[in-house]
Each structure stands twice: as C-alpha cells, then as structure tokens.
Amino acid sequence: MCKDRRIRIIVGHYGSGKTEFSINYALKIAQQGKKVVLVDLDVVNLYFRSREKENVLEKSNVKVISSSIKASAVDIPAISAEVYAPLQDEKYDTILDIGGDPVGARVLGRYNDILKEGSYDMFYVLNANRPETNTLDKAIGYLNAIEGVSRKKVTGIINNTHMLKSTTVEDVLKGQKLAKELSQKLEIPIKYIVALESVAVKLPDNLEGEVFPINLYMREDWML
C-alpha cells in the first residue's frame, strides 16, 4: 500500500465489493498513522455505501466525506464541496469510493482539473462470480466503459472474487485466473487479491499481487 499513489480511485461493477474493499483499505492505511479521508462518491446506488459505516471509520481516524447533503431529511445525490480539500491537500491519503459501472464513474469528470495522469491510482475491482464480468471479454468491456466515461486510466486490478461469507479458496483462485488474463491482455498489474481473513491464510504464496485480508463491514451478522 505504501507504493500506491496518494489518491486512490476505486471502481468496478455493482456487487464487485468496491465499498467493502474501500473501507478495509482506508482502515489499513489509518493503522499506519496516516491522515486518511474516504470520499463516498456513490450517487447512484441507495444501498451498501461507505457512508453507512461513518461511525466505524471515524473511530479509527478515517474522515468520511459523503456525496449527500447531510442536513437533508432525504438522500440527495449531491456532491459536497468538501471533496476538493483532500484531493488538493497532500497531507491526506484519499480514497474515492465510486458508484458502480460507467454510470457511477461519470462523477469523476468533475475533478478532471485535479486528477491528472500520474497523480492517482485507479483500481478496477473484479469479481469473477458476477455474470456481468465473469469472462475476459465482459471484464474488458466494463473496464473500457468506465475509463471512457471517467476519462481516467485504470492503473491496477483487484481480484475480489467472492461469495460473501461463503467464499472459498477456489473462488479466489478462479478470480485470479481471470484477473491474470485481464492483466496480460491490457498490461495492467494485479495489485491486490482480496479475501476474508479465514480464506486469505489458505491461499498459495506464489500469486501475482499482494494478498489483502479483509473483514466484512457492509454485511451485518444476520446477512448471508
């Protein structure tokens, strides 16, 4: 994580696990004693957004900036001007949790004047168990569409192939195979291999990318 650029943009398909990764990623950076801001820029999906875990994050010294107007009684898809501060202030490690698919990625166009090539990493979260991204052609199609709408280039691939709490080593390795094909085809490195802590310890040592154990913050205990 230390080699990642200060601004990290997290994109991918709905259900890929972008938000779960973003939360775990922010918490791990904060554990290193850094000043971390997690910006929830999902103005599309009404459920499973990082803003819902604001209390958990801020207890661990991760500042959360939401895309909604907090004073409102309803959830308005408006973007706070606060977003500009951590993008411009180099004292902050900034994570942008973007809404799913190309529709969600459109919001990045607002920050074209700041997000110059070389100033950010954009990580494409891949879940090979999602029917929309379970083949090389489909995965490339989504990645290209997100790049086209956002006018940003993906700099790393995250294998986050899962079945929530039922995820197995086989699921992760299935995703790793697809991630490797995608990496070789587009010449984009695999950055992380995400898995529940109980699964991560069972993964082979020779996988391309860094194994990234996570906890599930977006799934309550009663959820499967």
Side-chain angles (χ1 to χ4, degrees), residues 146-198:
I146 288 171
E147 285 187 333
V149 168
S150 67
R151 290 182 283 172
K152 304 287 175 289
K153 289 293 183 182
V154 170
T155 62
I157 297 165
I158 297 174
N159 171 19
N160 190 33
T161 301
H162 66 84
M163 291 293 288
L164 300 174
K165 296 177 184 178
S166 300
T167 304
T168 64
V169 170
E170 288 71 28
D171 287 315
V172 178
L173 295 181
K174 169 187 172 183
Q176 187 68 5
K177 180 177 182 295
L178 180 57
K180 190 170 183 178
E181 291 174 356
L182 183 64
S183 173
Q184 291 174 344
K185 182 72 174 180
L186 300 183
E187 299 183 341
I188 300 172
I190 299 172
K191 290 292 297 184
Y192 299 109
I193 304 152
V194 178
L196 294 170
E197 291 184 348
S198 59

Side-chain angles (χ1 to χ4, degrees), residues 61-78:
N61 297 317
V62 176
K63 179 178 174 59
V64 178
I65 297 177
S66 171
S67 58
S68 289
I69 299 174
K70 295 182 180 180
S72 174
V74 295
D75 197 3
I76 298 173

Side-chain angles (χ1 to χ4, degrees), residues 114 117 129 131 135 148 171 176 198 214:
I114 298 174
E117 190 169 346
N129 281 334
T135 69
D171 287 315
Q176 187 68 5
S198 59
I214 64 165

Side-chain angles (χ1 to χ4, degrees), residues 35-149:
K35 298 177 72 172
V36 183
V37 176
L38 176 55
V39 181
D40 181 351
L41 283 178
D42 189 346
V43 295
V44 179
N45 184 23
L46 296 178
Y47 306 102
F48 301 111
R49 295 169 299 184
S50 50
R51 73 191 73 168
E52 297 171 15
K53 297 301 174 182
E54 184 171 356
N55 290 339
V56 173
L57 288 157
E58 297 207 336
K59 283 179 182 177
S60 297
N61 297 317
V62 176
K63 179 178 174 59
V64 178
I65 297 177
S66 171
S67 58
S68 289
I69 299 174
K70 295 182 180 180
S72 174
V74 295
D75 197 3
I76 298 173
I79 298 174
S80 171
E82 284 186 274
V83 175
Y84 284 97
L87 289 178
Q88 296 173 316
D89 190 337
E90 295 189 0
K91 294 195 298 291
Y92 290 97
D93 279 68
T94 304
I95 300 163
L96 305 182
D97 181 14
I98 307 301
D101 292 354
V103 174
R106 279 200 185 97
V107 71
L108 288 172
R110 175 173 297 206
Y111 308 106
N112 276 333
D113 57 331
I114 298 174
L115 297 173
K116 304 295 186 184
E117 190 169 346
S119 69
Y120 65 86
D121 273 314
M122 186 157 83
F123 296 146
Y124 178 69
V125 180
L126 175 68
N127 181 358
N129 281 334
R130 295 291 298 183
E132 299 87 352
T133 53
N134 63 1
T135 69
L136 179 59
D137 286 345
K138 290 179 181 178
I140 290 174
Y142 265 95
L143 187 152
N144 286 343
I146 288 171
E147 285 187 333
V149 168

